[in-house]
């Protein structure tokens, strides 16, 4: 029996709905190995590569370079030598029906929304099933909630996950006046309180680590776990060579 494998436009992040084919790294008739980078795709947030899901030969390029297509669209076909041109044609024809039925589509992209807090708004992106516990993702200085582009969707398969634009980042309102850090913590706490009742699992990077630690100190009964990735604020020293 012949083996035919699809190369599709993947879904990177909760808000992605389409991608632009920027480069095919292999040509029709080239042999590929499972895990080999075969295609580069650009979105509004990131440019990344697609790896082959199976070994075989790239028998057909369906979407040429420069084409923009929805998540789940068939970009190419990898098949073994036993697959006939007729079988590949039938596979391509059937794929449009699968995409239309939603089997390979984006499943409905999540849309960020703003939460009103003192002094402005905090932008959040929610994903995953309703739960009594929520994972909260806090990015570092100069970043935004797209820092967690490849993490949020994976975590949201089994848990409720909220990514936040800290004040002054992304679409969240900057903090005015003095005492900036306490105000950032207060605004983040207010947004979390509004959308994430129950226990919290805070995951934070760099500057967000300091914010998460402050939230945990302020509300110890609410925080079930604290995961800090290269956080600031836990030492009086810093690496000036790194800076």
């Amino acid at each position: 029996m012949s083996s035919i494998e699809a190369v599709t436009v993947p879904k990177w992040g909760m808000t992605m709905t389409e991608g632009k084919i920027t480069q095919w790294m292999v040509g029709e008739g080239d042999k590929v190995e499972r895990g080999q980078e075969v295609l580069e795709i650009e979105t509004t947030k990131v440019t990344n590569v697609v790896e082959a899901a199976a070994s075989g030969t790239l028998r057909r390029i369906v979407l040429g370079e420069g084409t923009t297509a929805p998540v789940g669209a068939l970009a190419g076909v990898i098949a073994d030598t036993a697959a006939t041109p007729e079988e590949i044609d039938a596979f391509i024809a059937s794929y449009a029906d699968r995409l239309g039925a939603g089997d390979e589509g984006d499943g409905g992209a999540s849309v960020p929304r703003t939460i009103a807090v003192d002094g402005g708004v905090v932008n959040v992106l929610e994903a995953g099933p309703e739960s009594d516990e929520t994972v909260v993702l806090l990015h570092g200085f100069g970043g935004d909630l797209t820092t967690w582009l490849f993490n949020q969707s994976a975590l949201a398969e089994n848990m409720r996950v909220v990514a936040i634009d800290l004040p002054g980042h992304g679409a969240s309102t900057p903090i005015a006046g003095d005492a900036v850090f306490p105000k950032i913590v207060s605004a983040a706490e207010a947004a979390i309180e509004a959308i994430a009742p129950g226990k919290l699992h805070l995951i934070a990077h760099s500057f967000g680590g300091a914010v998460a630690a402050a939230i945990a100190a302020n509300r110890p009964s609410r925080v079930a776990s604290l995961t800090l990735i290269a956080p600031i604020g836990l030492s009086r020293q810093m690496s000036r060579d790194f800076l």
Side-chain angles (χ1 to χ4, degrees):
M1 182 178 178
S2 58
S3 173
I4 302 177
E5 185 75 27
V7 180
T8 61
V9 177
K11 185 174 178 63
W12 294 322
M14 305 304 301
T15 60
M16 180 177 171
T17 59
E18 63 182 19
K20 180 181 179 180
I21 310 299
T22 55
Q23 180 185 2
W24 277 98
M25 299 172 176
V26 293
E28 286 189 357
D30 290 348
K31 291 184 177 181
V32 298
E33 298 294 330
R34 179 182 176 87
Q36 180 180 342
E37 296 178 354
V38 295
L39 177 63
E40 183 180 80
I41 294 180
E42 179 184 79
T43 75
T44 56
K45 301 294 184 182
V46 68
T47 297
N48 205 3
V49 295
V50 177
E51 297 178 349
S55 298
T57 300
L58 182 63
R59 297 285 297 275
R60 196 75 58 84
I61 290 177
V62 180
L63 300 178
E65 294 178 357
T67 303
T68 298
V71 167
L74 182 65
V77 177
I78 295 173
D80 57 28
T81 56
T84 66
E86 291 75 20
E87 288 176 322
I88 293 174
D89 289 340
F91 180 83
I92 294 172
S94 69
Y95 217 87
D97 295 334
R98 296 190 222 178
L99 181 60
D103 294 339
E104 299 291 337
D106 63 25
S110 299
V111 178
R113 66 183 177 110
T114 55
I115 305 298
V117 299
D118 286 344
V121 298
V122 171
N123 190 50
V124 303
L125 179 63
E126 303 162 88
E130 291 297 323
S131 173
D132 293 333
E133 299 188 2
T134 302
V135 175
V136 178
L137 304 174
L138 301 172
H139 63 80
F141 184 80
D144 60 23
L145 57 79
T146 63
T147 294
W148 310 102
L149 186 69
F150 297 104
N151 308 108
Q152 187 174 13
S153 56
L155 291 170
E157 291 178 3
N158 300 303
M159 309 178 73
R160 184 164 187 265
V161 186
V162 175
I164 292 177
D165 279 341
L166 291 173
H169 298 74
S172 294
T173 306
I175 296 297
D178 299 325
V180 172
F181 182 74
K183 289 179 181 178
I184 288 176
V185 173
S186 178
E189 284 181 329
I192 292 168
E193 285 291 328
I195 62 174
K199 292 291 186 178
L200 304 173
H201 299 275
L202 303 180
I203 301 176
H205 173 240
S206 191
F207 178 74
V211 176
I215 293 173
N218 293 343
R219 302 169 185 264
S221 64
R222 289 267 277 127
V223 178
S225 69
L226 189 62
T227 303
L228 306 181
I229 306 165
I232 69 165
L234 300 185
S235 171
R236 293 182 179 274
Q237 296 179 335
M238 67 177 66
S239 174
R240 295 191 179 277
D241 289 341
F242 174 77
L243 292 178

